[in-house]
Amino acid sequence: MESKIEEEIIIQEILPRLPIKSLFRFKLVCKKWLDLITHDPLFLAHHSHKGHNRSKSTNITSPSYFSYKSELFFSSDDFYQFKWCKPTFLTGVMDDVMGSTKGLIYGVCSRYRKIFICNPITKHTVYVPNPEKQLILALAWDPYIPSSGFTIVNPIFLREENDGTHNVDVFQFRVYSSKIGEWRDSENATAFRVPRRCLQFRMCQAVYTGRKKVYWSLMRHILWFDIEKDVAGLVECPNHGNFVHPDEDGSFTEIGECDGAVTYNWMTRNGNVEIWLLIEKDNEFEWAKKHTVRLQKIIEENWHVVSEICNGLNIKKRKNAAVALAKRHHVKPLPHSGGELVWFLIKTLNDFHKIFSFNLRTRELKLINEDGAIEPPLYPFMPTLLHCPS
């Protein structure tokens, strides 16, 4: 007896559960599948929804990471670990990607006169004018409500003041809505007691949580802006003095998004990775510690994975390896996006970087990029087949 799977089951139940990498191959099956996987909006939304639920329900995998300088995607399960073909407008340009939100990357091009939003999987790209030629941006969009379009938020420095005790930087936010098709100024400027250079970083990392707020990492503080209410504020990070300061060139970011909340992590001087959640309710914020990952114990248990790198750095004993790496700034935790995996980079003797994942459940340390080195920054990234919103 022969059995045949109905086409409806294949299209609605099987294909949406396949990884991006497999779907690219299945485009070649027939013209109908090609059109479906490439253009059908219902299928694209269904696939992204299934993929999201798979990671959330199993809670085993976490989103991949995207290195635009190395043009690579990294995943612990090899579902979508592959080379990215740069769009032609970024050919030869290395520093124009500003960040990643919900499967889209964004940045500036054409001598900073335009902002681009690109799905690196589908190559679909939209452009927004950048009249102020600004480099500090945040992209907000909800892939489950494509009709809502997207919003770009840009904090602009206005002036420096002194209140008699502290220097105060005054900022105004500019907001672009794709539904309106133009920029607008926020109703009120907000003063922040932070060093002026904080918002002048070339790679000031932004995060969108899906709750009408965008956040920027300012080393010891997190700046937030409410898109609907035009309200902004500043949250002090839960540092207690016993941490390794992040690189001031912005090559590494510390904030991510997990189930609608901002995550913040850093490396302590004794070699621990602390991961915190920013709990928010009615513009009131509270930090809650999510994980403490003891890197020293991880290295001792998985010495065979890192011994070659440590020996190259003249770190011969596994007992003090984590502290030595932390003090030399050779190890950096990556933004945490949920799941059971914690990711971090280790810089080798030649200033190359290797990316590792650690499974909190199995306690397995895994070297992700065995074949070569990567170049930071890396952004959390969950591939999607949805086109960029308009």
Side-chain angles (χ1 to χ4, degrees):
M1 296 181 62
E2 294 184 0
S3 60
K4 183 179 179 180
I5 301 177
E6 294 182 5
E7 186 177 29
E8 182 180 357
I9 296 177
I10 295 176
I11 292 176
Q12 294 186 6
E13 297 297 331
I14 297 178
L15 289 182
R17 287 180 166 85
L18 294 176
I20 298 286
K21 202 171 182 180
S22 298
L23 284 177
F24 277 128
R25 294 198 299 268
F26 291 149
K27 284 182 178 182
L28 304 176
V29 171
C30 62
K31 187 177 185 301
K32 183 176 181 179
W33 283 25
L34 173 64
D35 293 338
L36 177 74
I37 296 171
T38 307
H39 301 295
D40 191 301
L42 291 177
F43 173 80
L44 300 181
H46 191 46
H47 176 273
S48 298
H49 182 67
K50 290 287 186 182
H52 175 78
N53 282 344
R54 177 183 61 213
S55 295
K56 188 174 180 179
S57 61
T58 59
N59 202 32
I60 294 176
T61 61
S62 63
S64 64
Y65 287 83
F66 170 50
S67 171
Y68 74 89
K69 290 187 177 181
S70 302
E71 302 178 24
L72 288 170
F73 295 94
F74 294 97
S75 169
S76 62
D77 48 24
D78 198 35
F79 273 179
Y80 29 78
Q81 188 165 317
F82 56 90
K83 186 88 173 172
W84 172 48
C85 296
K86 269 188 178 181
T88 54
F89 63 82
L90 282 179
T91 302
V93 180
M94 298 301 293
D95 294 320
D96 282 348
V97 174
M98 299 288 103
S100 171
T101 299
K102 310 295 184 182
L104 304 182
I105 64 170
Y106 60 93
V108 293
C109 60
S110 302
R111 296 184 179 180
Y112 311 130
R113 294 177 182 175
K114 288 184 179 180
I115 297 169
F116 71 85
I117 303 171
C118 174
N119 184 334
I121 305 298
T122 65
K123 310 297 192 298
H124 184 241
T125 306
V126 297
Y127 299 92
V128 173
N130 186 16
E132 300 290 338
K133 297 184 180 181
Q134 294 295 318
L135 302 178
I136 303 173
L137 307 170
L139 171 67
W141 83 290
D142 189 341
Y144 304 113
I145 314 176
S147 60
S148 63
F150 64 88
T151 302
I152 299 175
V153 184
N154 176 23
I156 298 178
F157 173 77
L158 295 180
R159 62 186 179 276
E160 184 177 2
E161 299 178 349
N162 190 291
D163 61 2
T165 306
H166 301 92
N167 290 328
V168 178
D169 285 353
V170 181
F171 292 89
Q172 186 174 25
F173 292 85
R174 301 200 71 209
V175 182
Y176 178 90
S177 170
S178 63
K179 298 181 70 173
I180 302 175
E182 60 183 29
W183 289 89
R184 67 172 176 84
D185 291 333
S186 61
E187 296 180 357
N188 300 301
T190 308
F192 302 103
R193 290 181 174 85
V194 295
R196 180 177 177 180
R197 61 188 177 88
C198 281
L199 272 179
Q200 294 178 336
F201 282 158
R202 181 68 175 81
M203 298 301 300
C204 183
Q205 171 68 359
V207 163
Y208 172 62
T209 61
R211 296 184 177 179
K212 307 301 181 183
K213 283 187 175 66
V214 293
Y215 301 81
W216 290 268
S217 172
L218 307 181
M219 296 192 302
R220 293 176 182 265
H221 297 82
I222 292 178
L223 170 67
W224 61 267
F225 178 76
D226 190 307
I227 298 172
E228 288 188 338
K229 299 179 180 179
D230 277 356
V231 178
L234 202 65
V235 181
E236 187 175 0
C237 295
N239 300 331
H240 303 291
N242 185 31
F243 74 105
V244 177
H245 203 280
D247 285 358
E248 294 188 358
D249 63 1
S251 295
F252 298 90
T253 58
E254 307 85 39
I255 62 173
E257 184 267 335
C258 175
D259 296 333
V262 172
T263 63
Y264 177 82
N265 58 271
W266 72 81
M267 175 70 63
T268 66
R269 298 187 186 280
N270 57 357
N272 293 334
V273 178
E274 293 189 0
I275 300 174
W276 295 71
L277 281 179
L278 183 60
I279 310 300
E280 183 267 334
K281 184 177 181 180
D282 299 329
N283 294 337
E284 296 290 333
F285 297 88
E286 182 180 11
W287 288 104
K289 185 182 290 188
K290 185 176 180 64
H291 297 295
T292 297
V293 182
R294 304 190 183 282
L295 187 61
Q296 182 59 56
K297 190 172 183 179
I298 294 174
I299 290 179
E300 291 178 359
E301 295 174 350
N302 300 272
W303 179 249
H304 63 285
V305 181
V306 297
S307 59
E308 184 177 350
I309 295 178
C310 290
N311 289 333
L313 296 171
N314 200 28
I315 301 174
K316 305 296 183 181
K317 297 181 179 180
R318 68 180 74 182
K319 185 176 181 180
N320 299 317
V323 176
L325 289 171
K327 287 184 177 180
R328 299 183 195 179
H329 299 271
H330 274 267
V331 58
K332 302 287 181 181
L334 292 176
H336 184 67
S337 301
E340 295 184 348
L341 297 181
V342 175
W343 300 70
F344 55 89
L345 294 174
I346 294 182
K347 185 165 61 174
T348 66
L349 181 63
N350 297 322
D351 285 340
F352 294 135
H353 293 85
K354 296 287 187 178
I355 183 172
F356 295 83
S357 68
F358 176 70
N359 192 303
L360 296 168
R361 177 175 55 86
T362 65
R363 300 200 59 79
E364 178 189 9
L365 182 66
K366 182 179 179 181
L367 173 61
I368 303 299
N369 59 323
E370 297 182 4
D371 297 333
I374 59 175
E375 189 174 358
L378 277 79
Y379 299 103
F381 187 84
M382 181 63 77
T384 178
L385 287 176
L386 288 172
H387 288 318
C388 297
S390 58

